[in-house]
Amino acid sequence: MKDKELLYRVKTNNKKAFDELFLFYYRDLCRFSLTFVKNADDSEDVVQKFFVRLWENRRKLEIPENVKAYLFKSVYFESMRFLRHKKTSEKYLSNYLSYFSPIDDNDTDFSGFLPHLHKAIEKLPEKCRQIFILNKLEGLTQKEISEYLEISVKTVENQVATAISKLRKELKPYLHLLPATLLYIIFH
């Protein structure tokens, strides 16, 4: 079946046509995205997110002449969006760590905790880390994050809860080094 006809069927709510389009292009689009995002898991996330958007917006879809070019161009833009979000997330983490660096070099308890905190945050999955940083460190509301990342508020809630749970486990041996006020800010 021609790509154009397949995309037209997707537009008319045909799930089977969508699955066929997905299966036919998925691997090639992941390899293409990988050239930009440099991580296989991230490239798969990018392509999956593109296909979710495609399905969600299928009724508004304008069928292009060259479907293959349209798919690759769309994944390119999705990859660029991912990289912008990743860069923003890394910037927030850097700002956070400098914000919470000890004022007094003699404050060894607090400074002893920072490397562990940094390492624990870095171990979080990319999306989870990004959402945690936006919520807990940059102070964005869950609704603002959902709009910014174009995901549901429930997903944001779940990711924040996952981050807190993972950080508690990871940092349990070091929590005695952290001031109570900062404990409250991070874990509530």
Side-chain angles (χ1 to χ4, degrees), residues 64-81:
E65 283 301 314
N66 186 337
V67 172
K68 183 176 180 179
Y70 163 76
L71 294 174
F72 277 83
K73 185 175 183 180
S74 297
V75 167
Y76 167 79
F77 286 119
E78 194 69 46
S79 297
M80 294 303 108
R81 183 179 296 120

Side-chain angles (χ1 to χ4, degrees), residues 27-132:
R27 285 286 147 220
D28 289 340
L29 291 172
C30 285
R31 281 192 289 275
F32 178 68
S33 177
L34 182 61
T35 63
F36 304 106
V37 300
K38 308 296 186 208
N39 177 290
D41 290 337
D42 291 341
S43 70
E44 288 183 16
D45 287 346
V46 164
V47 173
Q48 289 169 10
K49 188 168 185 176
F50 161 70
F51 275 106
V52 167
R53 282 182 205 256
L54 178 68
W55 181 253
E56 289 173 345
N57 297 306
R58 64 192 174 279
R59 290 187 178 99
K60 298 181 228 166
L61 189 62
E62 292 187 29
I63 311 297
E65 283 301 314
N66 186 337
V67 172
K68 183 176 180 179
Y70 163 76
L71 294 174
F72 277 83
K73 185 175 183 180
S74 297
V75 167
Y76 167 79
F77 286 119
E78 194 69 46
S79 297
M80 294 303 108
R81 183 179 296 120
F82 170 84
L83 290 173
R84 278 192 309 275
H85 289 242
K86 183 176 181 178
K87 184 177 180 182
T88 300
S89 174
E90 289 169 354
K91 176 183 154 205
Y92 290 150
L93 178 60
S94 174
N95 289 344
Y96 164 75
L97 291 175
S98 65
Y99 176 78
F100 283 112
S101 63
I103 297 168
D104 180 3
D105 288 339
N106 296 326
D107 187 4
T108 55
D109 286 347
F110 189 47
S111 63
F113 180 78
L114 284 176
H116 302 293
L117 177 61
H118 177 69
K119 194 179 291 184
I121 291 172
E122 282 298 311
K123 284 184 179 179
L124 292 172
E126 174 65 34
K127 185 64 76 177
C128 188
R129 179 175 62 238
Q130 180 182 27
I131 290 170
F132 175 80

Side-chain angles (χ1 to χ4, degrees), residues 5-23:
E5 182 182 334
L6 198 58
L7 201 55
Y8 177 77
R9 288 178 49 214
V10 168
K11 182 177 180 164
T12 59
N13 239 13
N14 187 317
K15 179 75 168 100
K16 187 177 178 183
F18 175 79
D19 292 343
E20 193 176 326
L21 186 71
F22 177 86
L23 290 172

